[in-house]
Amino acid sequence: MPSVSIIMPTLGRVRYVKRAITSVFRQTYNDWELIIVDSTPNDQIKQIINNLNSRRVKYVKTGQRGVSLARNLGIKSSKGDFIAFIDSDAIWLPKKLEKQMRVLTYSDHSYAGVYSGYKAFYETPKGYMVLNILPRYNEKNIFKKLLIYNCIGTVSTVILKREHLEQIGLFDEGIPYAEDWDLWLRISQRFRWLIVDDILVYDFVCIDGLSADLKKVLEGWKILAEKWAAFSKLMLLRYYYYLILLLLLQKANNPPLIKYIMRIFSIISKLIY
């Protein structure tokens, strides 16, 4: 039985899936299985999996019912004691699993998982704007920080202990966006996190894609804000704060301006907290 089960949901994105899979196969830590949950209406992803001809890769087909349901299906189909996540357009650096499993495997029960830094590639009409995002806090208990913003960041950096995930519950399928943020909050209420202070993932963010799904993004953030408002009166403020940010990013078409906006809002985040 593999130690680590890697969950990859995908809805199309055929040109990126091969790249993401390749990054998994290049890991220096080899005790893993990869479960690809495919919501694509055609068989293009299935053909990619068939061409791999690998027993380490499991293919699960589902309808277009959201990324939370897809990840949950992957988790339920998995066998490992540890659950890792990778988005279909992300890239893992070769030592990603090795470095994180080194600190997570023998950690005590108070720790539920580990996350790391990542390099974010924000797609713009003029190319990519690149930001290095490292874990900001050294504290093991980050619940209060998570009430302000998603300080863990992309799901692709995270590995969780199965035992702890099953105690907390899986992804909330009623949240159309920021469902990972909700899970990190629930975990952080009861457990602590380990950190690898290194960039281990390349994460690709399409600004145009976010704008096209603006309604879903705002609906997800609103549900999240209302769900956790009892723990922080700033949650609803955060919802409107991100609404403004998204609208600004939607209007900004040049990387320097986008980087400036992101830096300003990063400063505001610190002041709010």
Side-chain angles (χ1 to χ4, degrees), residues 1-240:
M1 183 176 74
S3 292
V4 180
S5 295
I6 304 163
I7 313 301
M8 180 193 294
T10 182
L11 174 57
R13 295 186 171 186
V14 175
R15 60 177 174 152
Y16 300 119
V17 170
K18 288 183 180 180
R19 185 181 66 182
I21 293 173
T22 298
S23 76
V24 173
F25 273 87
R26 288 178 176 170
Q27 292 299 299
T28 54
Y29 181 95
N30 292 311
D31 191 9
W32 54 262
E33 65 173 351
L34 173 61
I35 300 170
I36 297 177
V37 185
D38 180 20
S39 302
T40 309
N42 54 50
D43 291 329
Q44 289 179 296
I45 303 298
K46 184 177 182 180
Q47 187 59 51
I48 292 173
I49 307 307
N50 290 340
N51 291 340
L52 288 172
N53 192 29
S54 173
R55 294 183 179 180
R56 304 172 77 183
V57 180
K58 183 174 183 179
Y59 176 79
V60 178
K61 185 73 173 180
T62 185
Q64 296 182 29
R65 293 180 287 173
V67 68
S68 291
L69 184 142
R71 288 200 186 107
N72 289 345
L73 281 177
I75 293 167
K76 292 172 184 176
S77 302
S78 66
K79 299 177 180 179
D81 290 330
F82 300 90
I83 307 295
F85 305 97
I86 180 170
D87 285 336
S88 59
D89 57 355
I91 296 174
W92 280 358
L93 299 189
K95 291 186 178 293
K96 195 267 187 191
L97 287 181
E98 178 186 339
K99 289 184 176 183
Q100 290 187 304
M101 290 301 293
R102 187 183 300 152
V103 300
L104 184 60
T105 302
Y106 300 107
S107 61
D108 65 51
H109 184 73
S110 67
Y111 293 98
V114 61
Y115 66 99
S116 74
Y118 60 99
K119 188 184 292 285
F121 294 80
Y122 292 91
E123 188 177 11
T124 75
K126 296 184 179 181
Y128 285 106
M129 179 192 70
V130 182
L131 296 176
N132 291 331
I133 302 174
L134 290 168
R136 181 179 295 178
Y137 303 106
N138 293 323
E139 303 101 306
K140 310 304 181 184
N141 188 336
I142 57 173
F143 177 68
K144 290 183 179 179
K145 306 296 190 301
L146 282 165
L147 286 171
I148 305 302
Y149 77 109
N150 184 0
C151 58
I152 291 178
T154 174
V155 66
S156 298
T157 74
V158 172
I159 306 177
L160 299 173
K161 296 176 180 176
R162 175 185 291 277
E163 176 186 3
H164 294 61
L165 181 58
E166 290 178 345
Q167 288 181 40
I168 294 298
L170 305 185
F171 290 94
D172 186 338
E173 296 174 13
I175 302 179
Y177 188 85
E179 70 293 327
D180 52 347
W181 192 347
D182 172 71
L183 180 58
W184 312 154
L185 280 161
R186 286 188 279 125
I187 289 172
S188 301
Q189 279 185 299
R190 294 176 54 184
F191 300 108
R192 298 190 291 171
W193 291 86
L194 292 160
I195 296 169
V196 175
D197 193 15
D198 196 2
I199 290 175
L200 300 178
V201 174
Y202 290 169
D203 184 58
F204 293 82
V205 180
C206 177
I207 298 296
D208 291 339
L210 280 176
S211 300
D213 293 327
L214 186 59
K215 183 177 180 180
K216 183 175 73 172
V217 171
L218 295 178
E219 181 184 356
W221 276 338
K222 187 172 188 294
I223 293 172
L224 189 73
E226 292 172 347
K227 183 174 182 178
W228 293 97
F231 295 90
S232 172
K233 293 182 179 179
L234 292 176
M235 287 296 283
L236 286 174
L237 174 62
R238 180 199 53 75
Y239 163 66
Y240 292 109

